[in-house]
Amino acid sequence: MGAMPTGTRIEPTDEQLATVRYDQHGLVPAIIQQAASGEVLMMGWMNEDAVRETLETGRTVFYSRSRQERWRKGDTSGDRQWVQAAYYDCDGDTLLFVVEQEGKGACHTGARTCFFRPFG
């Protein structure tokens, strides 16, 4: 059994946080990528509070549009995501979190990644 994964607390500047552009619902898409393999695991929505909590705690936190509430990945499933690095894109309207995925995977279906269904 390996060492317990840990998240990295990231301390952005106020200028960096001000660069994040939220949509009309106060949300920004966040892409979640596996650190070791580069595999894209999932995309989730974050509001400003979820972004700040994710950066402060080193664990991904999202905003559920259907439930209208925050949810911390893995609290129910145990499939936690430990943040290793965080980026914002050139326009500030998409975030990227590089994580170490704990447990079976990121997808609520039980798959490792949400992107397991190819076109064609």
Side-chain angles (χ1 to χ4, degrees):
M1 182 88 182
M4 175 76 171
T6 58
T8 301
R9 179 187 170 98
I10 296 169
E11 299 186 23
T13 65
D14 289 340
E15 291 78 16
Q16 289 171 329
L17 286 174
T19 302
V20 178
R21 291 175 45 204
Y22 299 90
D23 70 10
Q24 67 272 26
H25 305 291
L27 302 174
V28 64
I31 299 166
I32 310 301
Q33 181 182 37
Q34 174 64 41
S37 66
E39 179 180 33
V40 175
L41 297 174
M42 62 175 285
M43 189 288 286
W45 295 96
M46 293 183 174
N47 62 8
E48 186 175 356
D49 288 343
V51 171
R52 289 180 180 274
E53 186 176 347
T54 297
L55 294 170
E56 288 170 8
T57 65
R59 271 190 61 194
T60 55
V61 178
F62 300 96
Y63 185 82
S64 169
R65 295 176 301 168
S66 59
R67 294 191 314 267
Q68 297 286 295
E69 64 183 17
R70 85 180 254 303
W71 61 280
R72 190 166 63 169
K73 181 71 176 157
D75 276 359
T76 304
S77 66
D79 300 329
R80 297 174 290 194
Q81 294 171 340
W82 301 95
V83 176
Q84 306 301 305
Y87 302 88
Y88 54 101
D89 76 344
C90 54
D91 295 323
D93 61 3
T94 306
L95 307 181
L96 171 65
F97 290 93
V98 179
V99 306
E100 187 171 337
Q101 175 70 54
E102 186 179 9
K104 63 185 179 299
C107 188
H108 74 280
T109 65
R112 174 130 187 97
T113 172
C114 293
F115 297 98
F116 60 87
R117 301 188 317 179
F119 284 105

